Amino acid sequence: MNNTLRNHIKSVLKSTRTLKMPPDSTKIGKLDYPFTSEELEKAKHVLKQGKACGNATLNNEIISVFFELYPDIALTLFNSILDKNITIDE
C-alpha cells in the first residue's frame, strides 16, 4: 500500500468528525424505497458468472436462477429486510 493511501486510511480512522443524523431517522430516505421487479431484473444481469457473492457459498448462477424462478419470493425477502431494518453482522 502506498503512503498516500495509508495516510488517508489512518486519517479517516482517527477522525473525530461526527455526522448529523436527521431527528427522525426512521423516515423513508432516498435509498429506502421498496425494491422493484425492474431492479431485480437488472441485478440478475449484473451478476458475473463463475463468481461467488461475497462470503456466501452460493455462486451467482444460483442467485440468478433464483431471481428468475422466484422473483416474488426474492422481492418479499429483500423488502422485508428493508422494512424491518435487519442487518447482518459478520
Side-chain angles (χ1 to χ4, degrees):
M1 185 177 335
N2 68 33
N3 285 336
T4 304
L5 181 58
R6 182 179 291 127
N7 291 338
H8 172 73
I9 292 171
K10 282 182 181 179
S11 70
V12 169
L13 293 174
K14 291 180 181 180
S15 175
T16 58
R17 186 177 130 207
T18 57
L19 300 174
K20 293 182 181 180
M21 295 297 290
D24 182 9
S25 61
T26 60
K27 289 185 179 180
I28 292 178
K30 290 181 182 180
L31 299 177
D32 294 335
Y33 295 109
F35 291 96
T36 65
S37 55
E38 292 81 17
E39 290 174 314
L40 190 64
E41 187 67 25
K42 287 179 186 176
K44 181 175 67 174
H45 294 292
V46 172
L47 296 171
K48 294 181 181 179
Q49 293 187 359
K51 302 287 182 179
C53 202
N55 293 337
T57 56
L58 294 175
N59 63 27
N60 287 340
E61 290 86 357
I62 294 172
I63 296 169
S64 292
V65 170
F66 179 76
F67 286 175
E68 187 154 334
L69 295 176
Y70 306 106
D72 294 335
I73 293 173
L75 287 174
T76 300
L77 173 67
F78 295 151
N79 287 320
S80 295
I81 290 169
L82 184 66
D83 288 342
K84 294 180 179 19
N85 199 21
I86 296 171
T87 58
I88 299 172
D89 297 324
E90 294 184 30

